[in-house]
Amino acid sequence: MLEIVILAAGKGTRMCSELPKVLHTLAGKPFLQHVLDRSDELASANTFVVVGHGAEMVRKNVRAKQLTFVEQLDQLGTGHAVKQALPHFSGESTVLILYGDVPLISTETLSALVDVVTEKALGLLTVNLQNPTGYGRIVRDSTGTVQAIVEQKDADKDELLISEVNTGVLAVKAKDLKVWLPALSDDNVQKEYLLTDIIAMANKEGKEIVTTQPSQTFEVLGVNNRIQQAELERVFQSAIAGRLMETGVTLLDPSRFDCRGEITAGKDCIIDVNCVFEGDVSLGDGVTIGPNCHIKDAKIGNNVEIKSHTVIESATLGNDVAVGPFARLRPQAVLGDKAKIGNFVEIKKSKIGVNSKVSHLSYVGDAKIGDNVNIGAGTITCNYDGVNKFPTTIADGVFVGSNTALVAPVSLGENVTVAAGSVVTVDVPDDALAVARSRQRNIDGWVRPSKDD
Ligand code: UD1
Ligand code: CA
């Protein structure tokens, strides 16, 4: 049985923030949540998060299966932190120790580590770094057997030259932790109970210390400040970008691509620079997305063209649709095949039928628009009386002239024509022309006022 403990009690002073460090985000998701998601994938029987600084806020902002929070009131070291969870571990389990500020660790790396743990061996994740400064060094004897981990502050001159370092991640039998953790002392330069000291204890007991290495070095990088946060963000984004390109998507610049959720795409999609994707986004085949678009929770069909500066949230687009530039599709906008939404058009909670067009400067809210409808520039559905929202229904084949106000609730029958500049307050029957504006009056020979008077 696997139990996971995630250390997340530290303050994260170098983030210079009111927010606990582990709640800072990578791809829009708290660091700690990334780690918890791995924990769920590993099917951990119990997951314990050791919290201290900002404990309440941490509790409220993350979730996982079988999750228990354990409080560490004073941060007396990593060994002390794990010890807080000790009473919860079942004797037979393997305990995997992770960090809430090391967000990119992969399940493959972790399962390989967990696999080496036996009654006689524990697993230690190490990595070789060109610059090992700050990390605990892995001390081996002449046969290559791991003897101990020596922290930077406790290391002598020779030990400081060792490039193999402790990632902090380790897997060990709970039984052994129950013996070793209570025996830790804080007799070191940092005056802390160092988890790393259990390695020397294990060695003394004749246990084998099996080291494994992460598939990629970035997996074990922790975040201590906002510069490292930004660096890991790019690493994470380039991994997503890489996966998309491998499945047939062209990214005009993968370094200017951001996905803060899940994106799937068919073949031959082209995504221009500075687009941000959030939530669940799916693109069909042959979708092109212009620069600077923000797309969140959207289902987009085949051969759709989304032009620059378009904002889409919780919307569904059929096939062969064109949207933008500068369009905004708000929640529950549903566009039928071949629909066209042009610049400065906002669509909210509305269905636009097949081959219907709203090309310029319009607001369509709480409306049902049929097929082959043309909505002229500057048309507004007046759906709100200050308290309630009302629907507008527009049947197939309607032509709405420019600068029309449709005062809901109102409905336009099939093939209705609305004269430009109308304020439509009553329903219009099929095939009628609605003219709802004052008649034009011309005054002959009109003399304009002049400044000389
Ligand atoms: C630790 C390791 C070091 C390793 C490095 C990798 C120890 C003693 N040292 O050093 O060998 O190379 O990680 O990054 O383990 N924490 C608590 N409670 C505490 C202390 C720490 O929850 O009382 C948490 C912190 O929030 C942090 C993590 O544990 O997320 C690591 O603690 P930190 O003190 O930063 O360890 P390092 O000095 O980096
Ligand atoms: Ca420390």
Side-chain angles (χ1 to χ4, degrees):
M1 185 168 89
L2 179 66
E3 299 191 279
I4 294 180
V5 52
I6 303 170
L7 306 195
K11 190 171 179 193
T13 312
R14 283 171 284 169
M15 295 301 283
C16 303
S17 175
E18 293 293 314
L19 196 66
K21 176 162 72 171
V22 294
L23 292 183
H24 282 263
T25 59
L26 201 71
K29 187 161 86 177
F31 302 152
L32 177 57
Q33 189 62 53
H34 283 269
V35 184
L36 287 168
D37 290 349
R38 298 296 82 72
S39 166
D40 280 351
E41 280 166 11
L42 286 165
S44 136
N46 291 297
T47 299
F48 304 97
V49 174
V50 180
V51 287
H53 284 282
E56 265 320 295
M57 236 200 273
V58 175
R59 276 172 206 269
K60 284 199 189 107
N61 287 286
V62 295
R63 67 210 67 79
K65 295 176 197 146
Q66 312 298 330
L67 177 59
T68 306
F69 292 94
V70 179
E71 200 119 1
Q72 185 192 25
L73 294 174
D74 296 303
Q75 278 71 60
L76 303 180
T78 48
H80 180 259
V82 179
K83 199 173 147 198
Q84 308 310 303
L86 204 54
H88 298 279
F89 300 145
S90 120
E92 291 315 303
S93 61
T94 293
V95 176
L96 173 63
I97 298 164
L98 302 176
Y99 299 82
D101 58 356
V102 182
L104 293 188
I105 194 86
S106 74
T107 22
E108 298 75 53
T109 294
L110 293 177
S111 35
L113 177 71
V114 167
D115 283 349
V116 305
V117 179
T118 64
E119 299 294 326
K120 297 197 192 86
L122 63 87
L124 182 64
L125 189 69
T126 71
V127 69
N128 284 77
L129 295 181
Q130 265 178 353
N131 177 9
T133 310
Y135 289 85
R137 309 298 205 280
I138 307 295
V139 180
R140 294 176 185 267
D141 68 11
S142 54
T143 66
T145 307
V146 175
Q147 303 283 297
I149 298 174
V150 179
E151 290 303 297
Q152 167 94 18
K153 288 182 179 148
D154 299 304
D156 65 28
K157 223 169 73 241
D158 291 336
E159 288 163 343
L160 287 176
L161 295 174
I162 299 170
S163 67
E164 187 186 10
V165 303
N166 175 31
T167 63
V169 175
L170 65 114
V172 51
K173 284 286 174 201
K175 260 208 289 269
D176 293 331
L177 283 179
K178 286 181 194 258
V179 176
W180 298 333
L181 289 180
L184 288 177
S185 103
D186 64 353
D187 184 14
N188 51 58
V189 176
Q190 304 181 65
K191 295 271 169 290
E192 284 182 8
Y193 296 91
L194 307 176
L195 176 64
T196 44
D197 285 350
I198 69 167
I199 299 300
M201 293 178 181
N203 188 48
K204 216 188 254 164
E205 278 185 26
K207 299 253 178 195
E208 195 189 350
I209 293 130
V210 182
T211 56
T212 63
Q213 304 245 315
S215 317
Q216 287 173 289
T217 304
F218 67 71
E219 291 182 34
V220 298
L221 298 179
V223 181
N224 292 307
N225 58 42
R226 296 182 200 243
I227 296 170
Q228 291 171 337
Q229 178 186 20
E231 284 165 359
L232 280 199
E233 178 77 34
R234 276 307 107 205
V235 167
F236 188 76
Q237 292 301 339
S238 75
I240 303 175
R243 281 200 295 276
L244 270 184
M245 291 189 288
E246 272 163 9
T247 61
V249 174
T250 295
L251 297 179
L252 287 170
D253 183 355
S255 72
R256 285 181 287 168
F257 164 84
D258 284 88
C259 174
R260 302 175 192 147
E262 302 290 328
I263 180 169
T264 59
K267 294 219 172 1
D268 299 312
C269 293
I270 300 176
I271 300 175
D272 211 323
V273 300
N274 296 334
C275 291
V276 176
F277 298 88
E278 283 185 69
D280 279 320
V281 175
S282 76
L283 310 179
D285 294 328
V287 173
T288 60
I289 302 178
N292 305 315
C293 292
H294 184 183
I295 301 179
K296 180 175 180 180
D297 294 318
K299 191 169 182 303
I300 293 167
N302 298 326
N303 304 313
V304 168
E305 187 181 7
I306 298 168
K307 294 172 198 168
S308 70
H309 301 91
T310 290
V311 176
I312 298 178
E313 181 181 355
S314 303
T316 306
L317 285 66
N319 300 323
D320 306 297
V321 163
V323 181
F326 298 99
R328 179 169 183 212
L329 303 181
R330 291 174 53 200
Q332 297 180 57
V334 178
L335 310 187
D337 294 347
K338 298 193 177 107
K340 181 172 179 279
I341 305 301
N343 43 211
F344 307 107
V345 171
E346 174 180 342
I347 310 276
K348 187 218 80 171
K349 202 177 179 186
S350 294
K351 187 173 173 294
I352 312 293
V354 172
N355 200 36
S356 288
K357 297 178 175 60
V358 189
S359 297
H360 330 266
L361 300 153
S362 291
Y363 171 64
V364 175
D366 304 300
K368 213 186 257 167
I369 296 182
D371 300 341
N372 301 307
V373 168
N374 187 78
I375 304 287
T379 296
I380 304 291
T381 54
C382 310
N383 60 330
Y384 187 50
D385 64 5
V387 180
N388 305 298
K389 300 269 166 68
F390 297 100
T392 299
T393 309
I394 299 176
D396 295 346
V398 167
F399 182 96
V400 177
S402 300
N403 198 32
T404 292
L406 301 166
V407 182
V410 72
S411 73
L412 309 181
E414 272 182 36
N415 298 316
V416 157
T417 305
V418 178
S422 291
V423 177
V424 179
T425 53
V426 293
D427 293 354
V428 184
D430 292 352
D431 304 305
L433 166 68
V435 190
R437 61 176 187 232
S438 52
R439 216 168 246 291
Q440 182 171 335
R441 176 164 75 106
N442 293 338
I443 298 173
D444 290 334
W446 176 254
V447 181
R448 282 189 217 150
S450 81
K451 282 191 176 155
D452 304 338
D453 294 343

